[in-house]
C-alpha cells in the first residue's frame, strides 16, 4: 500500500466530513456598517482602528491630572510610578538611612581606632624585642598597615574626621615610623580627608597642626629623599603630600605660609628640581607652578629661598620638557610680582 494514499484518504475524509471531525464553521465577517455601529472608526482605506470612545479616553488621559508622569519621553516606563505621598515616604526613609550611616561611622570608628592603638603597641614591643630580626616583627607591621588602611572610610566622613582628630598625636607619631610605608598610610589617610572627599576636614587638620603634623610631614619628605632607592610607593606619598598642601592652601590661603614654613617646603621644592628621580623633579616643578599663581602668600617664602635664580639655573641645565615648562611658569609667576621684579 502506498503511504501517500493514507494521508490522502485522511485529509480527504476530513475535508468531506466523512471519517473525521468536520471543520468548525467561522462566523461571517461583519459588514462595515455593523463595525461603525459598534464604535469602530474606519479610515478611507478601510483600515480598522480602536473604538472612538477608547481613543478619546486615551488622548485625554495625559491632561487629566494636569501633570504627566514623565511620560512625554515615552510613557509610564520612564516615570517613577510613585505618588507624591510615596515619594515623601521614601525621602524620609533616606534621611533615616543617612542618620543611621552617621551613627554607624561613629560606632565603628571607635573600634577601628582601638584596633590601630593595639596594633601600634604590639608593633612597638616586637620592634624592641626583635630589633635585630626584622622578620620577627613583620607580622605586627602588616597588622598595623591593615589597621591604618581600614580607617580610610572614616576619613571620608565629617563624623569620622572628628573622631580622627581625637587621635591626632597618634597619627603624627606614626609619620616618623621607621617603616616608610606606615608613614605613607598616614599621609594617604589625611589625603582622603582633605582632597578625595567632601568631608569637613578642618577639624582634623587643626588638631594635626597642633600636634606638629606639618613639621613631621616635611621631615618625612626629606627622609624619602634620602632613601637608597626611589620606589613608586614613595613617589605616591610625595604626590599625596603635595596634594594635601595644595588643597589646604587653596581653601585657606592665609594659613598657607604657616604650613609651608613648618614643612620648609619651598626649600624642599627647589632642591627637588635636581633630584635623582625624574618623577620627583616633575612633582616639584608642578607644585611650584601650581602653588604660585593660586597662593600669593607663597611668593615671599620662595623669594626668601632665592627661587628666581635657582629656577633660572635649573632651566639652563638638561631636564625633561615638562620640568622646564613648569619651571618657566613658576619663574614668570614670581617675576610678575612687585618683589619678584626686584629680585
Amino acid at each position: 500500500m502506498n503511504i501517500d494514499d493514507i494521508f490522502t484518504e485522511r485529509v480527504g475524509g476530513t475535508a468531506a466530513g466523512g471519517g473525521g471531525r468536520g471543520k468548525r464553521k467561522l462566523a461571517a465577517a461583519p459588514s462595515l456598517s455593523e463595525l461603525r455601529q459598534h464604535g469602530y472608526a474606519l479610515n478611507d482605506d478601510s483600515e480598522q482602528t480602536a473604538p472612538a470612545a477608547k481613543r478619546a479616553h486615551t488622548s485625554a488621559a495625559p491632561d487629566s491630572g494636569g501633570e504627566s508622569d514623565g511620560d512625554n519621553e515615552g510613557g509610564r516606563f520612564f516615570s517613577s510610578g510613585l505618588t507624591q505621598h510615596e515619594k515623601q515616604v521614601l525621602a524620609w526613609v533616606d534621611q533615616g538611612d543617612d542618620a543611621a550611616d552617621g551613627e554607624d561611622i561613629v560606632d565603628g570608628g571607635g573600634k577601628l581606632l582601638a584596633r590601630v592603638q593595639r596594633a601600634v603597641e604590639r608593633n612597638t614591643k616586637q620592634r624592641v624585642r626583635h630589633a635585630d630580626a626584622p622578620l620577627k616583627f613583620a607580622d605586627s607591621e602588616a597588622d598595623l598597615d591593615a589597621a591604618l588602611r581600614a580607617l580610610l572610610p572614616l576619613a571620608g566622613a565629617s563624623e569620622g574626621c572628628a573622631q580622627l582628630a581625637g587621635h591626632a598625636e597618634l597619627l603624627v607619631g606614626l609619620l616618623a615610623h621607621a617603616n616608610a610605608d606606615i608613614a605613607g598610610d598616614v599621609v594617604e589617610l589625611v589625603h582622603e580627608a582633605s582632597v578625595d572627599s567632601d568631608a569637613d576636614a578642618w577639624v582634623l587638620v587643626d588638631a594635626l597642626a597642633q600636634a606638629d603634623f606639618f613639621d613631621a610631614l616635611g621631615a618625612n619628605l626629606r627622609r624619602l629623599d634620602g632613601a637608597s632607592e626611589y620606589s613608586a610607593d614613595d613617589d605616591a606619598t610625595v604626590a599625596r603630600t603635595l596634594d594635601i598642601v595644595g588643597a589646604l592652601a587653596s581653601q585657606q590661603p592665609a594659613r598657607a605660609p604657616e604650613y609651608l614654613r613648618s614643612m620648609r617646603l619651598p626649600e624642599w621644592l627647589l632642591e627637588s628640581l635636581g633630584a635623582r628621580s625624574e618623577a620627583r623633579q616633575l612633582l616639584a616643578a608642578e607644585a611650584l607652578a601650581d602653588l604660585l599663581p593660586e597662593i600669593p602668600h607663597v611668593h615671599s617664602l620662595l623669594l626668601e629661598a632665592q627661587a628666581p635664580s635657582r629656577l633660572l639655573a635649573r632651566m639652563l641645565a638638561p631636564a625633561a620638557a615638562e620640568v622646564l615648562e613648569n619651571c618657566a611658569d613658576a619663574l614668570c609667576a614670581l617675576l610678575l610680582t612687585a618683589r619678584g621684579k626686584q629680585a
Side-chain angles (χ1 to χ4, degrees):
M1 183 177 181
N2 190 347
I3 192 69
D4 292 334
D5 295 339
I6 298 176
F7 290 99
T8 302
E9 291 174 3
R10 294 187 64 183
V11 172
T14 303
R21 183 177 300 173
K23 286 186 178 179
R24 181 166 55 94
K25 292 185 179 180
L26 297 176
S31 65
L32 296 181
S33 60
E34 289 176 337
L35 288 173
R36 289 193 181 98
Q37 289 176 2
H38 285 83
Y40 283 87
L42 298 175
N43 297 333
D44 293 339
D45 56 357
S46 298
E47 182 179 350
Q48 181 175 310
T49 61
K54 293 182 180 179
R55 289 201 316 276
H57 176 74
T58 303
S59 61
D63 298 330
S64 60
E67 177 182 324
S68 62
D69 292 333
D71 16 55
N72 292 333
E73 299 271 341
R76 63 188 180 85
F77 297 104
F78 286 88
S79 67
S80 64
L82 300 176
T83 65
Q84 189 62 29
H85 177 69
E86 289 169 339
K87 291 177 182 178
Q88 290 177 351
V89 171
L90 286 179
W92 294 333
V93 171
D94 289 341
Q95 292 175 1
D97 289 343
D98 292 341
D101 289 342
E103 294 175 0
D104 290 343
I105 290 172
V106 172
D107 294 340
K111 297 176 182 178
L112 293 173
L113 287 163
R115 176 187 171 190
V116 171
Q117 288 178 317
R118 290 193 300 270
V120 169
E121 292 172 1
R122 179 169 174 258
N123 179 243
T124 301
K125 291 178 181 178
Q126 293 205 2
R127 271 188 164 272
V128 172
R129 187 178 303 166
H130 307 292
D132 298 328
L135 290 177
K136 292 186 177 180
F137 58 74
D139 287 345
S140 67
E141 218 129 284
D143 291 343
L144 177 56
D145 175 76
L148 285 169
R149 288 185 173 278
L151 293 177
L152 286 173
L154 202 62
S158 298
E159 297 87 348
C161 286
Q163 284 192 301
L164 291 171
H167 295 76
E169 292 186 2
L170 173 66
L171 296 175
V172 172
L174 289 174
L175 269 177
H177 195 281
N179 187 337
D181 291 339
I182 299 300
D185 289 339
V186 177
V187 172
E188 185 176 2
L189 188 65
V190 179
H191 185 275
E192 174 68 22
S194 58
V195 179
D196 284 345
S197 74
D198 296 326
D200 181 7
W202 281 104
V203 63
L204 173 59
V205 172
D206 289 339
L208 291 171
Q210 292 177 8
D212 298 327
F213 170 74
F214 291 99
D215 298 75
L217 202 58
N220 188 57
L221 283 176
R222 288 168 174 77
R223 174 174 67 160
L224 295 177
D225 282 345
S228 57
E229 295 181 1
Y230 288 171
S231 69
D233 288 341
D234 291 346
D235 286 341
T237 297
V238 171
R240 290 189 184 108
T241 299
L242 298 177
D243 283 347
I244 291 169
V245 174
L248 297 181
S250 63
Q251 294 172 27
Q252 295 284 347
R255 299 190 188 186
E258 175 189 350
Y259 298 152
L260 300 184
R261 191 175 283 110
S262 296
M263 293 177 65
R264 294 184 294 151
L265 187 64
E267 184 67 28
W268 180 87
L269 290 173
L270 293 169
E271 289 174 354
S272 296
L273 292 175
R276 290 173 289 146
S277 164
E278 187 175 296
R280 296 285 173 89
Q281 294 178 20
L282 183 57
L283 286 171
E286 285 179 344
L288 285 166
D290 291 342
L291 285 174
L292 286 172
E294 295 184 5
I295 310 170
H297 299 76
V298 179
H299 296 169
S300 59
L301 296 178
L302 286 165
L303 290 171
E304 290 172 8
Q306 300 179 341
S309 59
R310 295 171 73 172
L311 284 168
L312 184 59
R314 186 68 190 93
M315 291 170 62
L316 296 174
E322 291 181 76
V323 173
L324 296 178
E325 182 180 348
N326 283 309
C327 286
D329 290 343
L331 180 59
C332 290
L334 275 176
L335 294 179
L336 287 174
T337 64
R339 287 189 59 186
K341 293 176 182 178
Q342 301 173 0

